[in-house]
Amino acid sequence: QGDNCNSNPSNTLEVEILAIPIAVIDNPFITICEGEDIALTSSSFNQNYEYEWQGPDNYFSSGLIPTVITNAGQNNAGNYTFVIKDRACTSDTASAQVIVFEPPIQPIINGESIFCEGQSAVLTVSNIPSATRYHWYNNGQLFSSVSNNNLLIPSIENDKNGNWTVVVEDGICFSDTSDVFEIFVESSLNIGASNNGPLCEGDTVRLTSSFIPNASYQWQDPQGLFYDDREIEVPAFEGLYTVTVTTQSNCIASTSTFVEVGQKPTVTALSNTSISCTD
């Protein structure tokens, strides 16, 4: 403007002031176990936005929903950052901390594999002495979850025969299933004993017990003497003869038989009807 003269108007300059995007990670603290997936998410959606995700092990992803990290390991643990760009404006950096826990090693079951019905049975995870929980399975069905590495079955029955496995829980992580540990529960023994009495003093008695394959037998007479074998002949004394039967798997049962011994008659006098003199 000069000497009362005005210039033509200039070109129009349009100024747009953009709001700075706000980057938000839905879950800023993630804990997983090795082998699981890392899935980062954000609800900060706008079709004009550009997204950048970065993290450990050279991780980079663009897009509101970043690439899922499958089968994560310790190399994937750490800090993940998230930035939103809207043309000239860039958001503050949001971050998420990812912790990857190591799961327990595969448990190993130790214990006796053969039990007698009614016995107390104990199974132990010897290679993991301390963990949060131990989940025991019998033939694929959950049997018990306990907080220590010993499983006690106070009186084991035949229905506990078969395959036993265990899964160990420690914190948020679970181990692989153990190898199968097979258990056999032998039925309780049903035995009998007999003798060939009644007898007389000085006789021998024949004692017989039920036949159990591959079992051992021990008899005890009323005098406290011991004899071995399923069928024996020994001096006869009145009273109980007890037999203890032990199977090959160390199951034990006892029973008794009563031997009756009569006294021999004693000759105290002789008489006859003969006359004093004979022809």
Side-chain angles (χ1 to χ4, degrees):
Q1 177 179 350
D3 298 329
N4 295 320
C5 294
N6 295 326
S7 69
N8 291 327
S10 69
N11 294 332
T12 300
L13 177 63
E14 183 177 352
V15 176
E16 182 181 2
I17 299 176
L18 301 174
I20 297 176
I22 299 175
V24 176
I25 298 176
D26 292 338
N27 186 359
F29 189 76
I30 299 173
T31 55
I32 64 168
C33 299
E34 285 185 3
E36 295 180 347
D37 299 339
I38 300 174
L40 300 162
T41 60
S42 173
S43 55
S44 304
F45 172 73
N46 188 304
Q47 62 182 1
N48 296 319
Y49 287 170
E50 296 176 12
Y51 305 91
E52 288 185 2
W53 297 84
Q54 296 186 60
D57 202 28
N58 299 317
Y59 176 79
F60 179 85
S61 183
S62 60
L64 177 63
I65 301 176
T67 304
V68 174
I69 302 171
T70 59
N71 194 27
Q74 293 298 325
N75 57 310
N76 303 118
N79 193 53
Y80 287 77
T81 60
F82 175 47
V83 172
I84 299 175
K85 295 180 179 180
D86 184 8
R87 287 161 283 183
C89 297
T90 302
S91 70
D92 290 335
T93 301
S95 63
Q97 187 70 26
V98 175
I99 298 176
V100 180
F101 288 104
E102 184 177 355
I105 60 177
Q106 185 184 31
I108 298 173
I109 300 175
N110 293 106
E112 298 292 334
S113 59
I114 299 177
F115 296 96
C116 303
E117 189 177 17
Q119 276 187 337
S120 176
V122 177
L123 298 177
T124 302
V125 179
S126 57
N127 64 328
I128 309 176
S130 178
T132 305
R133 301 289 292 177
Y134 297 79
H135 305 282
W136 293 89
Y137 295 83
N138 178 216
N139 295 321
Q141 300 296 317
L142 180 64
F143 174 75
S144 180
S145 293
V146 295
S147 58
N148 61 70
N149 65 328
N150 292 322
L151 173 68
L152 172 63
I153 307 173
S155 181
I156 197 166
E157 302 297 333
N158 292 95
D159 60 357
K160 304 303 184 295
N161 275 322
N163 298 329
W164 285 82
T165 55
V166 65
V167 174
V168 176
E169 175 187 356
D170 195 17
I172 65 169
C173 298
F174 292 80
S175 71
D176 291 334
T177 303
S178 69
D179 291 336
V180 170
F181 187 85
E182 190 171 0
I183 282 180
F184 176 72
V185 181
E186 186 172 298
S187 299
S188 58
L189 296 176
N190 183 17
I191 61 172
S194 62
N195 67 84
N196 63 332
L199 302 159
C200 295
E201 287 179 328
D203 288 347
T204 58
V205 60
R206 186 170 64 253
L207 302 167
T208 305
S209 180
S210 304
F211 174 72
I212 305 295
N214 301 314
S216 62
Y217 298 80
Q218 187 176 68
W219 292 87
Q220 184 178 16
D221 71 8
Q223 310 298 310
L225 300 176
F226 292 93
Y227 305 92
D228 294 329
D229 219 339
R230 184 179 76 88
E231 185 172 298
I232 59 174
E233 288 194 15
V234 295
F237 300 99
E238 182 158 298
L240 284 177
Y241 285 73
T242 300
V243 61
T244 300
V245 181
T246 304
T247 68
Q248 198 171 30
S249 56
N250 208 37
C251 293
I252 299 173
S254 296
T255 190
S256 300
T257 180
F258 185 83
V259 174
E260 183 181 348
V261 177
Q263 290 185 345
K264 289 185 176 181
T266 301
V267 178
T268 59
L270 294 175
S271 63
N272 65 81
T273 58
S274 66
I275 60 176
S276 298
C277 298
T278 62
D279 295 340

